Amino acid sequence: MTFKVHEFQLLQDYRKEGAERAARLSQYQKDAESARARLSELQTEYEHTFTESVKHGTDATTQLDKLDGDIALQKEVIARRERDLTLAYAAMPEGTISSVDVVNEYKNVFVPHVRAEYEPIVQAKLKMARDLLLSCIIDHREGEDAYGHLREEMAEISRANRSEGKTDWIEVIDHPTSVAKVMRRQGAVQGVREVMSQVSLFTHGHKPNDFEYIAEVPTKTKGAK
């Protein structure tokens, strides 16, 4: 990777303030949860005591009356704890950084800053890739022009050899650059198409076996085309 990955500091500060606020509220939450848990224990104890008294024919009125009172008191405790928790949430300061501040800074400051560094890097690579592909096509066209007449002449000689009985068949006359094997294809144009195909597949997760990451755009020699 050639570009620096920046940390969004304001978000880190916002999270820190949120964590500190949550820590201050946690005790009120724990008190409310503890009160509810205690109520559940008392209700379970009441049910067990009542069930045992019926099962064994014993008198548990005194224990049940006490448990009933404890349950009523615990419900009042829960009401107070839940009220305290609600008041604490309302009274606890939100912090110096608002969620709106975080989104605005991300959109208006952080994103433009990262773009300013990132875009030139990718732009330079894509432009060189385009220039290289177009240069290959230009080379292909020049190769066709440079050797086209020679190939036609050789094809005519081959046909004459067959018609004059010098050979039993007409030789296949290849164009020297058109049959060049590049990128597993025959000819520069087909090679360019293969490159585009591999790039397309790579965007869907298929990595070529011979792929080599290029961190920086290499120095190029400009031609006169």
Side-chain angles (χ1 to χ4, degrees), residues 179-199:
V179 294
K181 283 293 187 73
V182 290
M183 298 302 295
R184 301 180 302 181
R185 295 293 188 92
Q186 185 169 296
V189 171
Q190 291 299 322
V192 168
R193 290 173 179 155
E194 174 64 21
V195 169
M196 299 303 293
S197 174
Q198 290 187 23
V199 170

Side-chain angles (χ1 to χ4, degrees), residues 2-209:
T2 56
F3 60 91
K4 179 181 178 181
V5 177
H6 296 276
E7 183 180 90
F8 186 25
Q9 188 59 48
L10 189 64
L11 177 60
Q12 301 301 321
D13 296 341
Y14 175 74
R15 288 173 175 169
K16 182 179 178 181
E17 285 191 352
E20 291 172 351
R21 184 174 184 270
R24 294 172 64 187
L25 289 170
S26 65
Q27 188 57 54
Y28 296 100
Q29 293 172 326
K30 289 177 182 177
D31 290 344
E33 291 169 1
S34 177
R36 287 190 288 268
R38 178 56 182 158
L39 175 62
S40 179
E41 290 174 359
L42 289 170
Q43 289 173 330
T44 299
E45 187 177 352
Y46 182 96
E47 292 170 3
H48 176 74
T49 303
F50 180 83
T51 301
E52 288 297 306
S53 68
V54 172
K55 185 184 299 183
H56 300 290
T58 57
D59 183 9
T61 302
T62 301
Q63 291 175 276
L64 293 172
D65 287 345
K66 183 180 183 306
L67 286 170
D68 221 10
D70 291 343
I71 288 171
L73 288 173
Q74 192 60 30
K75 287 180 179 179
E76 293 179 7
V77 171
I78 290 174
R80 290 198 302 272
R81 297 290 179 265
E82 291 180 343
R83 178 192 60 196
D84 291 347
L85 179 59
T86 300
L87 291 173
Y89 265 108
M92 193 71 67
E94 286 291 335
T96 60
I97 305 169
S98 74
S99 56
V100 174
D101 294 335
V102 174
V103 173
N104 285 339
E105 177 144 340
Y106 178 80
K107 289 177 59 180
N108 301 323
V109 179
F110 186 78
V111 168
H113 177 68
V114 172
R115 280 185 57 190
E117 292 186 0
Y118 177 78
E119 286 176 351
I121 296 170
V122 176
Q123 173 73 13
K125 291 182 180 181
L126 288 176
K127 184 178 183 304
M128 172 159 274
R130 181 202 65 183
D131 291 350
L132 286 172
L133 290 175
L134 294 178
S135 297
C136 285
I137 294 172
I138 290 172
D139 290 343
H140 164 76
R141 291 171 179 172
E142 289 187 344
E144 281 193 327
D145 292 341
Y147 298 105
H149 295 298
L150 177 60
R151 178 194 173 281
E152 286 300 322
E153 185 175 352
M154 295 302 299
E156 289 179 9
I157 293 174
S158 178
R159 287 192 292 270
N161 287 339
R162 172 66 179 84
S163 65
E164 294 171 7
K166 295 178 180 180
T167 59
D168 294 331
W169 55 82
I170 298 174
E171 298 283 353
V172 175
I173 306 300
D174 294 324
H175 188 290
T177 62
S178 295
V179 294
K181 283 293 187 73
V182 290
M183 298 302 295
R184 301 180 302 181
R185 295 293 188 92
Q186 185 169 296
V189 171
Q190 291 299 322
V192 168
R193 290 173 179 155
E194 174 64 21
V195 169
M196 299 303 293
S197 174
Q198 290 187 23
V199 170
S200 177
L201 288 171
F202 183 67
T203 63
H204 293 86
H206 300 275
K207 182 178 178 181
N209 294 329

